[in-house]
Amino acid sequence: MTYSQLSEASLDLRAPVFSRVRKGGWWVRILTLFGCDYICLSIAWLIAESYISFEDFPWYTSRSSLGMLITILPQIAVMVIQGLYQTGRKRYDYFNIIKSLAFAHGLLLLILLCAKPVQFDSPSSLLLPWLLSIAFVCAGRFVVNATLEYMRDHKLIGSHPVFVICDPKEQEQYANFIKKENCYTIVGFDGYQALDRYNRKATIEQLNQLEVSEIFISWNAIKNRMFLCWLFQAAGITIHILPTEIKQIHKDVELSNIGGMPCMTFHCPLITGKDFWIKRVFDFCFASLFIILTSPVYVAIALAIKLDSSGPVFYKQTRVGLHGQTFEVWKFRTMHPDADKMQKELEDLNENKDGILFKMKDDPRVTRVGKFLRCYSLDELPQIFNVLRGEMSLIGPRPLATRDVANFSERHFIRQEVLPGITGWWQVSGRSDIVDFDQVMRLDLHYIENWSLWLDINILFKTVAVVLRKQGAY
């Protein structure tokens, strides 16, 4: 598997043009806090060494730099896991610091008991280093915070450039709240139209030109399009949602306080775009292995189609995929060759309520072999090749025909911002039994907003169960 084969896939909502490191000066914060914590913990253990003996510590010898490093790094690692190096007030959560250091010293005690269960009989020897570590780390964090506040007040260090998207009438109100935080400089405002489907690209380009690493968005501007969090995160930008009301919470949201105002924050990962490439690697590996193992099934189905009716083995149909781009989706042919022409005559018999999708339980265009293939979704197998080509993913919203997309409302186009899939929440929740497209949209939105590799694997297993039960298949 080569990089070029993987990168054939068009980049969807989860991926930037190139994977990149999160924007902003977060690395300065991390290095400063790391250095401060390391110095404080070193001082704490050196003072403790003057009062107690560490001869029971197999890795620790007097004034040993390596021993000190081995002792301190696990404590810092626990603090990292507990979020004590994140932005905002989390890094000054002193109660969390006490818990983290208690846990880290408990781990050291456990290691010593396992290494020397008989010889080591002084668990209390870790009490003094723990108390000193708490005192020095909390004091160090306090000094760093006070120093930063002083430097910001006296304009000795720059503040973070931020951009605000809200109604023009709200600009002054939100600006006053943001300025209270004393660490932001507002470099621009824009209205709700900046988030419209045709303006998003220009908005991201503008933010890149302004070197913005954080953005504030009014809830009224984003309440019906929470998927945009992916878009800004893929560009390396942290998102703060300015409140009016809260209806839907994203899985990674954090409630924070900006200038005394409650705010929802969506932190950007350190390495953006990793979600897309994890999914792409998984799709490519799974699809390649699947084709190798099931090649005899493909041959058998092709022979059955040829013997049952005249016409080609495969059926190609133009579908609308990522970013509204069309592509040819491959399926085993399950209908008579003139099925597309017959559909116009059958439109009045469409069982879908809103007319966006075309569904009939007893479709006269389906062949005998086609009914069997549809019953077990075997007609979808050739779409594995669409996955290899990067036009589709294993899991995602189903790509719809141009006839269906032509009936979309504006809110439906979120489906086109991620790679379409062979199966998804819609398929494992009833498939053709769901005749309301708004319900289909809710299922697709749930998948987009809660995506993870484990969710994909879960849907794959559910798909197997649904297919074997022939649920909603016709």
Side-chain angles (χ1 to χ4, degrees), residues 317-337:
Q317 186 183 43
T318 300
R319 296 288 179 97
V320 182
L322 185 64
H323 307 317
Q325 300 297 315
T326 58
F327 69 101
E328 298 292 330
V329 69
W330 287 68
K331 301 177 74 172
F332 281 122
R333 182 175 59 84
T334 60
M335 292 185 175
H336 295 290

Side-chain angles (χ1 to χ4, degrees), residues 251-263:
K251 63 175 181 175
D252 294 324
V253 70
E254 174 192 329
L255 294 177
S256 54
N257 188 303
I258 304 294
M261 173 179 57
C263 188

